[in-house]
Amino acid sequence: MMAKHKIVLLFPAAVVEQPFLYHLVKDYNLFVNIIRANINPRKEGRLVMELAGEQEDYDAGINFLESRGVTVMPFEQQVKWNEDRCTQCGACTVICPTDALKMIRPEMIVEFDESKCIVCEHCFKACPARAIVAHY
Amino acid sequence: MKVSKTYEEINEKISKGDAVVVTAEEVITLVEEKGLEQTAREVDVVTTGTFGPMCSSGVFLNVGHSTPRMRMSKVYLNGVNAYAGIAAVDVYLGATEIPEADPANQHYPGEFNYGGAHVIEDLVAGKEVRMEAYSYGTDCYPRKKLETLIKLEDMNEAFMFNPRNAYQNYNVGVNLSDRPIYTYMGILKPNLGNANYSTSGQLSPLLNDPLYKATGIGTRIFLGGGTGYVSWYGTQHNPCANRTDKEVPRAPSATLSLTGDLKGMDPKWVRGVSYLGYGVSLMIGVGVPIPILNEEMLRSAAIKDEEIYTQIIDYSEGFPFGKGGSLGEVDYAQLKSGKIIIQDKEVPTAPLSSYPKAKEIAKILKSWIQKGEFLLTEPVASIPSVDSGKKMKPLKIRCIEEKEEFDG
Ligand code: SF4
Ligand code: SF4
């Protein structure tokens, strides 16, 4: 059985420079599709990616990551749009690279489509009302 | 003009629940269908609305006297400094004030997560706020320090007093440079990455009353979810800006100074906001009713987005250094379409001021008037208009001659 999931990996600063992806591909026969990477030497890193392979390999790969201190989280519900806090100002709509935050015209109403979000985090501080928050 | 109504006649209809009230958006189709004269006969009031960041805002608070008494000379509310250079326990908390400990733009771009505007929002929401006060002590006011929790309802008086709100038209901000810039017009991406504007266009109060016939000193309005008044013309009031043949300014023009009881406001319409790399501001809901006394006032109130123009300004060099002028003129229908063309480039737009919220405000004000809860006031004095010659002056920096002093 095949497994294919979008996941978010959090790397502690101490292990951030280790070649995890190489091992996932080479040792566990997994397919890796990086959606977004935020990795800096000696700093905590974050990687959003799609991981696919046989269920057995997939589980082993995840175990391998976790055993090395990497936190693995499901991609869904990474970003929460707090509709009550949103002032419908639209500032985020020109910042969001994927149209996950989008203005519906001509009504000029802002909507959030979670499935399009790549967790790039650009909107978090661009939102004057701080209506978009991380859930990790 | 064939139609002529008075404030008294309209107020009588409002009191009886008979007034015909429509929003500044609804009136457009009415005039298109029925014509100016017929609509002016039928409609008594047009309501407007805007919900956008208005930095020049703040509140006067009287926090009450402690025992022993204290002449507060430094006051902090949730760590934000409130100006105490007035009577013993009166303070003015400005919307853009940030805590002294805030790193501001030392870590550029600064986040400005909390400031005066957020304290104001917290107070309106009924939250407890931590107050610290310091004084030098006097015979009549011996106390030198206090710390306490305080809520809006504990205060004697709390009223908003905003020196400059409800701008009649505003610039479109863009960035011609090759790095992102962080402004009060939001984040402007490099090389014309986006264009931000900030008025509600055809719903905006002063764009519907371009010559201030209905809006003057004493006009009763919707302010922050409660009732407020126009107290004066605002700072930087600039009525002599260039205008279209419909008398609508093509650039920032009039402003209003607004006041209202904070205790009657709703946190939904009084919101602290943080502009990355710029600072804190307050989003406030403002709605102004326009009585339709004649066809002329209706013609102005029926203005459409495509008839309102504004200027595109570069905020990387043009605005900060006063270099160059407008990069072009656009109308609000173009801005609202989501894309405008600047220097042959298609540039995405964002409003910063919310059109659906402005519409909601116009509808709330409409319902207050329909229910007979809100009567119109005739201005007690007009604000300076196109014939005043009033213009905005720049600050000239002059050389201060140094006094020659010898100390021995
Ligand atoms: S995190 Fe990035 S992709 Fe997701 S909504 Fe925010 S700006 Fe858009
Ligand atoms: S920037 Fe924030 S407040 Fe403005 S529309 Fe986007 S989510 Fe809403």
Side-chain angles (χ1 to χ4, degrees):
Chain A
M1 198 178 74
M2 284 288 286
K4 184 174 169 186
H5 299 287
K6 273 190 196 167
I7 54 174
V8 180
L9 307 184
L10 290 186
F11 302 93
V15 303
V16 79
E17 284 164 83
Q18 295 180 22
F20 291 106
L21 297 187
Y22 171 83
H23 288 296
L24 289 179
V25 176
K26 193 90 173 50
D27 304 344
Y28 298 92
N29 302 315
L30 295 172
F31 295 93
V32 172
N33 176 20
I34 297 177
I35 298 171
R36 199 184 119 75
N38 186 2
I39 306 277
N40 298 296
R42 292 177 297 281
K43 275 196 191 154
E44 198 184 70
R46 221 166 56 86
L47 195 62
V48 182
M49 62 179 204
E50 196 167 59
L51 190 64
E54 286 297 326
Q55 185 72 49
E56 219 171 284
D57 294 335
Y58 186 94
D59 293 343
I62 297 288
N63 276 339
F64 156 73
L65 289 171
E66 288 178 338
S67 71
R68 298 296 179 93
V70 179
T71 309
V72 183
M73 290 178 305
F75 175 77
E76 292 79 32
Q77 285 157 13
Q78 288 294 303
V79 170
K80 195 173 172 307
W81 175 56
N82 188 340
E83 199 172 346
D84 290 340
R85 293 295 302 164
C86 173
T87 63
Q88 295 285 336
C89 77
C92 57
T93 60
V94 281
I95 299 295
C96 176
T98 63
D99 270 353
L101 284 157
K102 193 178 165 196
M103 186 156 263
I104 311 299
R105 298 171 195 275
E107 297 82 3
M108 308 296 284
I109 290 169
V110 175
E111 280 182 7
F112 176 53
D113 179 351
E114 201 182 303
S115 68
K116 287 189 185 159
C117 173
I118 55 163
V119 203
C120 73
E121 301 185 351
H122 290 341
C123 57
F124 294 6
K125 289 170 190 166
C127 168
R130 301 288 187 264
I132 311 153
V133 283
H135 263 226
Y136 42 78
Chain B
M1 279 181 274
K2 297 184 184 136
V3 180
S4 171
K5 287 182 252 181
T6 65
Y7 278 87
E8 291 71 35
E9 285 163 8
I10 292 177
N11 275 337
E12 219 178 285
K13 287 176 87 176
I14 295 175
S15 300
K16 286 192 204 142
D18 291 342
V20 178
V21 191
V22 296
T23 68
E25 188 187 75
E26 293 161 348
V27 77
I28 295 170
T29 25
L30 273 184
V31 170
E32 277 169 1
E33 283 166 20
K34 300 188 172 181
L36 212 54
E37 193 189 319
Q38 178 69 12
T39 315
R41 270 184 221 291
E42 288 176 16
V43 173
D44 298 304
V45 187
V46 170
T47 58
T48 62
T50 184
F51 185 53
M54 305 193 199
C55 289
S56 202
S57 302
V59 292
F60 279 106
L61 310 170
N62 178 288
V63 298
H65 287 283
S66 58
T67 317
R69 286 180 190 260
M70 182 173 182
R71 208 228 76 81
M72 299 179 180
S73 50
K74 278 256 176 279
V75 172
Y76 299 90
L77 294 164
N78 278 353
V80 181
N81 185 28
Y83 179 74
I86 37 180
V89 292
D90 282 351
V91 297
Y92 183 78
L93 175 65
T96 66
E97 188 75 38
I98 54 168
E100 275 160 29
D102 192 295
N105 264 343
Q106 279 165 33
H107 305 299
Y108 177 83
E111 295 185 19
F112 304 98
N113 288 314
Y114 196 85
H118 298 91
V119 181
I120 296 170
E121 178 186 336
D122 284 347
L123 284 172
V124 175
K127 290 189 190 159
E128 303 253 36
V129 165
R130 189 193 143 105
M131 178 168 81
E132 282 168 77
Y134 303 90
S135 172
Y136 44 79
T138 72
D139 291 337
C140 45
Y141 291 106
R143 188 177 205 124
K144 291 191 174 161
K145 185 176 185 290
L146 70 75
E147 256 183 62
T148 183
L149 291 173
I150 190 164
K151 282 198 291 219
L152 183 59
E153 62 177 62
D154 304 331
M155 298 183 185
N156 289 312
E157 290 79 23
F159 54 91
M160 196 171 258
F161 194 98
N162 305 339
R164 185 191 336 139
N165 280 176
Y167 239 118
Q168 186 180 27
N169 214 343
Y170 211 77
N171 300 333
V172 180
V174 297
N175 175 7
L176 290 179
S177 78
D178 55 10
R179 65 165 186 101
I181 59 170
Y182 303 91
T183 75
Y184 68 85
M185 295 300 290
I187 301 171
L188 299 174
K189 297 194 283 185
N191 307 313
L192 295 170
N194 58 311
N196 289 0
Y197 64 99
S198 188
T199 94
S200 55
Q202 63 193 15
L203 273 173
S204 180
L206 290 175
L207 292 173
N208 283 281
D209 181 22
L211 298 173
Y212 332 123
K213 295 207 165 122
T215 318
I217 295 162
T219 300
R220 184 180 292 132
I221 59 166
F222 171 109
L223 182 63
T227 306
Y229 295 86
V230 175
S231 40
W232 201 249
Y233 52 91
T235 53
Q236 295 183 193
H237 181 65
N238 189 36
C240 297
N242 198 355
R243 291 181 185 243
T244 63
D245 51 11
K246 294 210 167 182
E247 302 290 2
V248 178
R250 319 175 93 104
S253 181
T255 68
L256 298 175
S257 172
L258 304 178
T259 190
D261 189 355
L262 202 63
K263 295 192 185 191
M265 293 187 188
D266 179 341
K268 179 173 177 188
W269 303 113
V270 181
R271 296 285 309 274
V273 284
S274 309
Y275 286 91
L276 190 66
Y278 176 71
V280 169
S281 187
L282 188 66
M283 276 187 90
I284 314 173
V286 176
V288 177
I290 297 172
I292 301 305
L293 303 179
N294 51 49
E295 292 96 321
E296 205 43 56
M297 289 177 94
L298 178 66
R299 193 198 310 273
S300 298
I303 189 115
K304 292 181 254 185
D305 282 330
E306 50 266 47
E307 300 166 326
I308 311 169
Y309 299 88
T310 188
Q311 308 303 316
I312 303 164
I313 303 290
D314 166 42
Y315 275 72
S316 68
E317 288 243 321
F319 179 85
F321 301 105
K323 280 191 196 165
S326 168
L327 300 174
E329 195 172 69
V330 273
D331 68 54
Y332 280 89
Q334 291 169 319
L335 285 167
K336 269 202 200 155
S337 75
K339 282 177 191 120
I340 56 172
I341 306 285
I342 311 171
Q343 299 181 344
D344 296 328
K345 190 178 166 181
E346 198 179 76
V347 182
T349 60
L352 302 189
S353 149
S354 167
Y355 191 81
K357 298 276 179 190
K359 193 150 91 178
E360 203 179 326
I361 290 168
K363 283 193 175 153
I364 295 172
L365 183 55
K366 169 178 161 176
S367 76
W368 288 354
I369 300 172
Q370 282 173 331
K371 281 188 242 153
E373 294 167 358
F374 186 107
L375 293 178
L376 307 191
T377 52
E378 187 168 355
V380 291
S382 326
I383 59 173
S385 187
V386 280
D387 51 2
S388 66
K390 193 178 179 314
K391 283 219 157 138
M392 222 173 109
K393 285 185 273 206
L395 174 67
K396 285 197 197 106
I397 300 180
R398 292 183 293 167
C399 174
I400 301 172
E401 218 180 316
E402 281 185 34
K403 264 195 197 161
E404 289 196 29
E405 276 177 2
F406 297 96
D407 37 352

